[in-house]
Amino acid sequence: MTKLEALALKAMHAFDPERAHGLAISALKLGLVPLSGPVTSPRLATTLAGLSLPNPVGLAAGFDKNAEVLAPLARAGFGFVEVGAVTPRAQPGNPKPRLFRLTEDQAAINRFGFNNQGMEAANARLANRPKDAVIGLNLGANKDSENRAEDFARVLSYCGAHLDFATVNVSSPNTEKLRDLQGAEALSALLAGVMEANNWLKKPLPIFLKIAPDLTDTEISEIADVALAQGISAIIATNTTLSRDGLNSAAKSEAGGLSGAPLFERSTRVLAKLSKATEGKLPLVGVGGIATAEQAYTKILAGASAVQLYTALVYHGLSLASEIAHGLDTLLEKDGFANVADAVGTGRDAWL
């Protein structure tokens, strides 16, 4: 992180967290954020569900909910970018305040509730996306929808022509009863509808599934079985947690999903268990608490073919993406791995 970026972050933290996030999006739009450009090497270049990535460090959904800053994000050092979540109709989300920094814990709690401008606004921007980047969309459901399962398919059908992949998000804790869709029967029906919509696209996409970290071993096994049966291309593990174990910050009791450093061990354990349950048949994306190259590497060793960041950017800036990618390159070289794929899952048993 440069001195200028450190000063900018310090200034941002003087604002309400949601206001600061809006300012960050505005700064990216105006070209005020220094961007590293593409980061790659023969070791970092990898494949995820058929997608060729310059490096395995992605941006998680939630940062660019409405696909407003696709071009600058594509130049920020990420190997792939996921935007959204996007719902069929625009919705305001939950009442403010709904985003809280837990600085002492290097974490955040949010209860946004899928606030976004809707699929029509997102699709108009996706139509002008940079063509040399890998961009995916996190699919969401409207809070007041009579058929939430159908909402995922609707967003995919509407926006699919401009995407490289799409993610079914049934793991946000901030839309009432959404996580109920992770049950085997409901999930199977939902995914069947999404896959049918995907098959109607001119160019069907890799479909990812994002799961929660608050799952039992039985639930992890059931989700793995359903994902394999429905032809899902990858699983993202994990979304935010409802756990509040070991927190010290004043905002620790706020309702919502917890992300950041405290999630690292919980999400990595779920990742490793999912890797074992899928027996290497599905690529996995590791998310949760990554703030260093070493932590990203740990996720890869535990079974992830790629990783995603978000909350750590609040504390370390956008340059963290390229820093982690370069650090991963060094770690792979140090351990004698010719590429990312060779390292995937080699340290999984330590987390089981």
Side-chain angles (χ1 to χ4, degrees), residues 173-189:
N174 300 317
T175 297
E176 188 179 358
K177 296 185 178 180
L178 182 71
R179 285 190 173 189
D180 291 351
L181 293 173
Q182 290 181 124
E185 187 174 341
L187 183 61
S188 184

Side-chain angles (χ1 to χ4, degrees), residues 109-255:
I109 291 174
N110 90 81
R111 51 173 181 262
F112 282 119
F114 284 170
N115 59 308
N116 74 104
Q117 297 168 7
M119 64 185 184
E120 292 182 18
N123 188 61
R125 298 180 183 120
L126 286 163
N128 296 308
R129 52 160 287 180
K131 302 303 181 187
D132 57 349
V134 176
I135 294 174
L137 179 66
N138 193 282
L139 312 174
N142 281 116
K143 183 178 181 179
D144 60 354
S145 175
E146 293 183 5
N147 189 339
R148 287 181 179 168
E150 192 175 90
D151 280 7
F152 296 95
R154 285 185 63 198
V155 178
L156 175 63
S157 296
Y158 197 85
C159 301
H162 307 304
L163 302 173
D164 296 305
F165 69 92
T167 299
V168 177
N169 184 359
V170 291
S171 50
S172 169
N174 300 317
T175 297
E176 188 179 358
K177 296 185 178 180
L178 182 71
R179 285 190 173 189
D180 291 351
L181 293 173
Q182 290 181 124
E185 187 174 341
L187 183 61
S188 184
L190 183 156
L191 293 179
V194 170
M195 297 308 286
E196 182 179 0
N198 191 44
N199 289 335
W200 279 101
L201 293 177
K202 186 176 181 180
K203 183 182 177 183
L205 305 172
I207 303 296
F208 297 178
L209 172 67
K210 189 167 188 176
I211 66 169
D214 308 318
L215 298 167
T216 65
D217 290 359
T218 299
E219 289 169 331
I220 291 170
S221 180
E222 288 177 348
I223 287 172
D225 289 344
V226 171
L228 287 166
Q230 291 294 341
I232 291 299
S233 298
I235 299 179
I236 301 177
T238 65
N239 210 320
T240 57
T241 182
L242 293 172
S243 170
R244 297 293 185 268
D245 293 346
L247 299 180
N248 299 304
S249 301
K252 64 184 180 182
S253 298
E254 292 290 345

Side-chain angles (χ1 to χ4, degrees):
M1 186 193 306
T2 64
K3 287 184 178 180
L4 181 61
E5 189 174 25
L7 286 170
L9 278 178
K10 187 176 181 180
M12 289 284 215
H13 283 214
F15 290 91
D16 164 82
E18 190 166 352
R19 173 64 176 152
H21 182 260
L23 290 171
I25 295 293
S26 296
L28 282 164
K29 284 181 179 179
L30 294 169
L32 301 177
V33 181
L35 301 170
S36 68
V39 177
T40 192
S41 75
R43 272 182 297 272
L44 290 176
T46 192
T47 301
L48 174 67
L51 302 170
S52 295
L53 310 180
N55 72 65
V57 183
L59 176 65
F63 181 87
D64 188 7
K65 288 178 176 288
N66 296 300
E68 295 178 273
V69 284
L70 295 168
L73 288 176
R75 300 193 304 273
F78 294 105
F80 61 110
V81 171
E82 184 176 347
V83 298
V86 167
T87 56
R89 289 173 285 107
Q91 61 180 26
N94 293 323
K96 299 178 182 181
R98 54 195 180 180
L99 177 62
F100 306 88
R101 291 189 203 96
L102 281 69
T103 305
E104 289 179 58
D105 302 296
Q106 295 286 286
I109 291 174
N110 90 81
R111 51 173 181 262
F112 282 119
F114 284 170
N115 59 308
N116 74 104
Q117 297 168 7
M119 64 185 184
E120 292 182 18
N123 188 61
R125 298 180 183 120
L126 286 163
N128 296 308
R129 52 160 287 180
K131 302 303 181 187
D132 57 349
V134 176
I135 294 174
L137 179 66
N138 193 282
L139 312 174
N142 281 116
K143 183 178 181 179
D144 60 354
S145 175
E146 293 183 5
N147 189 339
R148 287 181 179 168
E150 192 175 90
D151 280 7
F152 296 95
R154 285 185 63 198
V155 178
L156 175 63
S157 296
Y158 197 85
C159 301
H162 307 304
L163 302 173
D164 296 305
F165 69 92
T167 299
V168 177
N169 184 359
V170 291
S171 50
S172 169
N174 300 317
T175 297
E176 188 179 358
K177 296 185 178 180
L178 182 71
R179 285 190 173 189
D180 291 351
L181 293 173
Q182 290 181 124
E185 187 174 341
L187 183 61
S188 184
L190 183 156
L191 293 179
V194 170
M195 297 308 286
E196 182 179 0
N198 191 44
N199 289 335
W200 279 101
L201 293 177
K202 186 176 181 180
K203 183 182 177 183
L205 305 172
I207 303 296
F208 297 178
L209 172 67
K210 189 167 188 176
I211 66 169
D214 308 318
L215 298 167
T216 65
D217 290 359
T218 299
E219 289 169 331
I220 291 170
S221 180
E222 288 177 348
I223 287 172
D225 289 344
V226 171
L228 287 166
Q230 291 294 341
I232 291 299
S233 298
I235 299 179
I236 301 177
T238 65
N239 210 320
T240 57
T241 182
L242 293 172
S243 170
R244 297 293 185 268
D245 293 346
L247 299 180
N248 299 304
S249 301
K252 64 184 180 182
S253 298
E254 292 290 345
L258 173 73
S259 60
L263 182 57
F264 182 78
E265 289 195 14
R266 178 184 290 260
S267 61
T268 306
R269 198 167 292 113
V270 171
L271 170 70
K273 290 177 179 179
L274 192 58
S275 174
K276 184 179 181 181
T278 55
E279 300 177 337
K281 296 173 184 174
L282 273 182
L284 307 176
V285 180
V287 196
I290 299 172
T292 66
E294 288 76 14
Q295 288 174 321
Y297 191 43
T298 296
K299 296 277 190 187
I300 290 169
L301 297 179
S305 294
V307 299
Q308 287 180 318
L309 317 176
Y310 182 2
T311 302
L313 303 177
V314 174
Y315 298 103
H316 302 283
L318 203 58
S319 64
L320 184 64
S322 58
E323 289 173 16
I324 288 180
H326 286 300
L328 263 178
D329 197 25
T330 300
L331 290 166
L332 289 164
E333 181 182 26
K334 179 184 174 184
D335 286 350
F337 291 114
N339 52 57
V340 174
D342 286 351
V344 174
T346 56
R348 184 183 73 190
D349 291 352
W351 291 91
L352 297 176

